Amino acid sequence: MDLSLRLLQALDAVAAEGSMTRAARTLNLTQQAVSGQIRQLERVVGAPLLERRPTGIELTAAGQVVLKQGAALLSSARTMVAEARLAATGRPDPLRIAFKAQSTAHFMPAVEAALRERAPDLELRPISSHTLPDEIDALISGRADAAFLWLPIGDDPRFTIHPLLPEDRWVALPPGHRLESRTSLSIADLADVPVVGPRDGMPPAVVDFWFIDPRPDGTRAHFGPQARTPEECLHLVAAGHGCWIAPASTVTYFAHPRLTWLPLVDAEPNVLALIWPKHTVHPMLPLLVEETRRTLTAV
């Protein structure tokens, strides 16, 4: 039986993306190459694994079995390689962490210092990102072993999720805004205020959470211009295009001479989490979780 791990990786990508085109982009392959790998895997199994529907590509019953068992094989293979390298060299592979600087600056230096004390041979490699799609892509493509990011991430079963830190939400207001003299805000205060931020390429549940849409009274949020990065969001707010709703750590990280930041007292908090692909478990991840939790308790 000629069963290559790359065939299982192709099926995993297609199942996650629901599209041959998007799976090919994730795997850095052509669509034809991914289709060929799926056909080869179907020949090995002896049954169709995918079916095309108007809503996208879905797994057959056989495909579901291969996906589940294949994830276990991929995990075992990656764990085998990592543990073999550790046994051969005495040093673990570098631990690559995707992160947003504004979300982790208040604790990551202390976490890295603690890791150096407990595991002197471990090299921690930070990978800066700006958006949720950036971080997810880093994990799926294998460029990162784990990521610090804000929940929710949408309905994505590919990841192990460890919630770490709740943070209150704050609102950035443009200069001269009628609400800037307040000491705090409620969601109702933002009824007619456009909210800027990224939407394209984001799962609907993620957009709903960040923009608080719909509002508690059932009305819809007023969407302002899109912006991909925090710096772009701040620029749009400063130019008077609307407000931006962000975690409390963003307020202390980004100083801006023209903006007013106010707490949003009745909004569900943001939750920072550490996540990693279920099929890729770096042997030092449990230590990272432990030291991050300990550091955040002391902050």
Side-chain angles (χ1 to χ4, degrees):
M1 179 174 61
D2 184 16
L3 179 59
S4 169
L5 293 179
R6 63 185 174 82
L7 305 183
L8 298 175
Q9 290 174 319
L11 181 66
D12 181 74
V14 173
E17 299 293 344
S19 160
M20 289 284 185
T21 301
R22 291 193 295 270
R25 191 179 305 122
T26 296
L27 296 169
N28 292 318
L29 297 172
T30 65
Q31 181 177 338
Q32 291 76 12
V34 174
S35 297
Q37 290 175 344
I38 296 298
R39 287 195 300 271
Q40 185 177 346
L41 184 57
E42 289 177 330
R43 287 195 294 271
V44 171
V45 175
L49 303 178
L50 302 173
E51 56 184 359
R52 288 174 172 80
R53 297 191 175 184
T55 55
I57 295 177
E58 295 186 7
L59 294 171
T60 63
Q64 294 282 0
V65 172
V66 175
L67 180 69
K68 180 180 178 180
Q69 299 296 333
L73 289 174
L74 289 169
S75 177
S76 295
R78 290 185 174 96
T79 300
M80 175 193 69
V81 171
E83 292 183 356
R85 287 175 179 168
L86 179 59
T89 66
R91 294 176 60 90
D93 285 343
L95 182 56
R96 303 161 301 167
I97 307 295
F99 74 105
K100 299 184 185 74
Q102 71 272 18
S103 305
T104 61
H106 57 300
F107 69 86
M108 269 305 293
V111 170
E112 187 167 354
L115 288 174
R116 282 198 300 269
E117 288 187 8
R118 294 191 59 184
D121 291 331
L122 175 62
E123 178 187 354
L124 195 66
R125 291 184 184 174
I127 302 172
S128 179
S129 63
H130 292 292
T131 68
L132 174 63
D134 288 343
E135 291 179 303
I136 296 298
D137 180 70
L139 293 173
I140 297 303
S141 67
R143 291 185 291 108
D145 300 299
F148 286 106
L149 48 73
W150 295 105
L151 300 178
I153 63 171
D155 184 17
D156 198 325
R158 293 174 291 181
F159 301 107
T160 297
I161 300 175
H162 280 267
L164 296 169
L165 176 69
E167 282 194 10
D168 293 336
R169 290 206 252 186
W170 286 59
V171 179
L173 294 172
H177 195 275
R178 60 178 176 79
L179 296 172
E180 68 177 0
S181 62
R182 303 277 293 274
T183 58
S184 64
L185 297 174
S186 67
I187 297 173
D189 293 325
L190 303 178
D192 61 347
V193 182
V195 182
V196 306
R199 298 193 300 277
D200 287 347
M202 304 287 278
V206 176
V207 174
D208 292 346
F209 179 84
W210 283 93
F211 287 82
I212 314 179
D213 182 53
R215 300 294 163 80
D217 63 0
T219 60
R220 300 303 302 271
H222 186 180
F223 292 101
Q226 294 205 57
R228 183 173 182 272
T229 68
E231 291 84 357
E232 291 173 359
C233 290
L234 292 170
H235 171 78
L236 288 174
V237 175
H241 293 287
C243 72
W244 180 38
I245 304 172
S249 55
T250 301
V251 182
T252 56
Y253 188 85
F254 287 107
H256 197 290
R258 292 175 53 82
L259 303 185
T260 298
W261 284 99
L262 294 175
L264 192 58
V265 297
D266 58 347
E268 184 180 351
N270 292 108
V271 175
L272 188 70
L274 182 66
I275 82 167
W276 58 81
K278 289 181 178 178
H279 62 259
T280 306
V281 182
H282 191 287
M284 302 305 289
L285 278 171
L287 181 60
L288 176 62
V289 173
E290 178 185 343
E291 287 302 328
T292 302
R293 290 192 185 279
R294 186 184 63 79
T295 300
L296 289 173
T297 300
V299 170

